[in-house]
Amino acid sequence: GDHDMIVPFLSTEAWIKSLNYSISDEWRPWIVDGEVGGYTRTYTNNMTFATIKGGGHIPQDNLPKECFAMFKRWLSYEL
């Protein structure tokens, strides 16, 4: 989640930057039931970094709908 204080998404973003992957698609929202569920950024190696808006370290506890939507999209290559 983007509110994770144990593993902040900024640390993950910095690690990805250290890999020197080029960005192919800048930050954009992904939608669940008409609302923003989080944001994604895609890189040229087909890697997509996704966040869950408002989620903490264990977002499935308080945002199960968003987590399940992200998981289904990941399985079907939609993110």
Side-chain angles (χ1 to χ4, degrees), residues 29-50:
W30 56 274
I31 308 299
V32 178
D33 292 339
E35 296 194 17
V36 175
Y39 297 89
T40 64
R41 176 188 261 173
T42 305
Y43 297 85
T44 53
N45 67 337
N46 279 339
M47 181 178 78
T48 298
F49 177 41

Side-chain angles (χ1 to χ4, degrees), residues 18-34:
S18 77
L19 299 174
N20 293 318
Y21 295 152
S22 298
I23 297 168
S24 63
D25 191 14
E26 267 299 345
W27 289 110
R28 62 182 177 79
W30 56 274
I31 308 299
V32 178
D33 292 339

Side-chain angles (χ1 to χ4, degrees), residues 50-62:
T51 68
I52 296 177
K53 182 180 173 190
H57 189 63
I58 307 173
Q60 67 273 18
D61 284 352
N62 62 334

